[in-house]
Amino acid sequence: MLPLPSTPLTATDLSYTIVNGKIACWAPAYRVHIGFAYCAFISGLLAMLSRFLPAAYKWAHRWLGVAYIISMLWAIASSLVIRNEGLPHATAISFIWVLGFLTIGWVIVRVHMYYAERQALEAADRRIRSIGLTRSLVSVIAEEKLKIAARKTFSQRYFSLKTLHGMCFFTSWINIAGRVFVTTLEEFTCYANVHYKQPAGSHAPLVAIPIDDPTYFEKPWAKTGLVGWGVALSIGPLLGSAFVAAIFQFVATKLFKPTEGEDEGETLKVKAPKSDI
């Protein structure tokens, strides 16, 4: 169980390290970290393999990519409380590539999706204006997307945002894949304590930073309790945003009204708030 500031703490327990009332290391978090790291590795691999599936399963690539990003977020979050010695320089460089290329690749694919959707909508609009709407609009847009993809040459496919997106995400994934294969699954312990640094030239012995925070009971979460603090940071913002959303949507509903005197069959003219345009 996670040690709390209100419980007796010790500097010799290898299941956790508390420094000045703060969590530096908690051994159970290691398995959580490894679990999400494997999820990132597997979802990233499956996302790449899903590109070979028929078009009907195109959704799998997108959702596997989402799973990769979410797994990476929680792998990073859990790593914050498994610190003993820090990161080797080479590992730090690897993590820069993991997160850097993940970020760039995600932005690139969002830009690609925007222009691809816009191009398909324009093609569908021209088709409807020419021959009318004989099928559902969704099927017409999907068909236009397939036509646009089929007309692309090798150079258009290769020198594209989509290819650049794949290159970035592969570079991100290969760096986390390397870590998965070299990380051991042996029992993890919190074996290190933290000491104050001594001034340059001082030969005084190192002094360990105390476990307990002497100012803990002056903190706001000491007054509310950790449960109350957690509720205040979750339920509080949810209720507050729900209240603001109710006001905003009420105002939007009043503004988003048909012009008086128009029939149902006529063109609907509305005055919409800027946020809905």
Side-chain angles (χ1 to χ4, degrees):
M1 184 175 179
L2 182 65
L4 301 176
S6 58
T7 60
L9 303 174
T10 173
T12 59
D13 193 325
L14 296 180
S15 66
Y16 64 84
T17 302
I18 301 294
V19 180
N20 202 23
K22 305 172 183 67
I23 304 168
C25 182
W26 187 43
Y30 181 75
R31 294 190 179 278
V32 177
H33 174 70
I34 293 298
F36 279 110
Y38 272 98
C39 287
F41 168 73
I42 294 171
S43 59
L45 177 62
L46 293 178
M48 290 183 285
L49 295 177
S50 67
R51 297 300 298 162
F52 298 99
L53 295 175
Y57 300 97
K58 188 177 180 180
W59 56 268
H61 179 74
R62 179 179 299 181
W63 284 106
L64 286 167
V66 170
Y68 174 74
I69 293 174
I70 293 175
S71 298
M72 282 302 310
L73 288 174
W74 283 101
I76 294 169
S78 56
S79 72
L80 296 176
V81 288
I82 55 172
R83 180 174 62 85
N84 273 318
E85 299 177 355
L87 287 177
H89 291 78
T91 304
I93 292 173
S94 175
F95 284 163
I96 291 173
W97 300 150
V98 169
L99 297 178
F101 283 104
L102 184 154
T103 303
I104 296 171
W106 184 84
V107 172
I108 287 173
V109 79
R110 298 306 300 179
V111 174
H112 163 76
M113 290 172 63
Y114 169 78
Y115 283 109
E117 190 73 21
R118 182 176 176 178
Q119 192 176 6
L121 288 173
E122 291 174 351
D125 180 68
R126 290 192 297 269
R127 177 174 171 179
I128 293 170
R129 290 176 182 274
S130 175
I131 62 175
L133 184 61
T134 58
R135 285 176 294 167
S136 71
L137 181 60
V138 174
S139 63
V140 172
I141 294 174
E143 187 175 320
E144 290 301 325
K145 287 182 178 180
L146 291 175
K147 288 181 179 179
I148 292 170
R151 287 194 296 264
K152 289 183 178 180
T153 63
F154 167 79
S155 60
Q156 288 175 325
R157 289 175 180 273
Y158 186 73
F159 299 102
S160 66
L161 292 175
K162 195 172 184 179
T163 298
L164 185 58
H165 155 75
M167 293 165 59
C168 287
F169 262 74
F170 176 77
T171 304
S172 171
W173 175 84
I174 200 67
N175 278 275
I176 195 66
R179 290 294 303 165
V180 166
F181 285 113
V182 300
T183 301
T184 62
L185 298 179
E186 61 187 18
E187 183 181 2
F188 177 84
T189 59
C190 299
Y191 56 80
N193 282 321
V194 184
H195 294 73
Y196 288 108
K197 291 183 178 181
Q198 298 296 334
S202 173
H203 299 288
L206 293 177
V207 177
I209 300 177
I211 295 175
D212 297 311
D213 180 7
T215 64
Y216 173 77
F217 291 101
E218 299 174 9
K219 303 291 194 299
W221 47 84
K223 297 177 175 62
T224 62
L226 292 179
V227 174
W229 183 255
V231 170
L233 293 182
S234 56
I235 304 301
L238 284 172
L239 293 177
S241 59
F243 177 72
V244 173
I247 297 174
F248 182 86
Q249 297 302 341
F250 177 79
V251 174
T253 302
K254 294 299 182 181
L255 293 176
F256 200 80
K257 291 289 185 181
T259 305
E260 293 184 5
E262 291 184 338
D263 297 328
E264 290 185 2
E266 296 178 357
T267 303
L268 184 64
K269 297 179 181 179
V270 296
K271 181 182 179 182
K274 291 183 180 180
S275 60
D276 289 336
I277 298 177

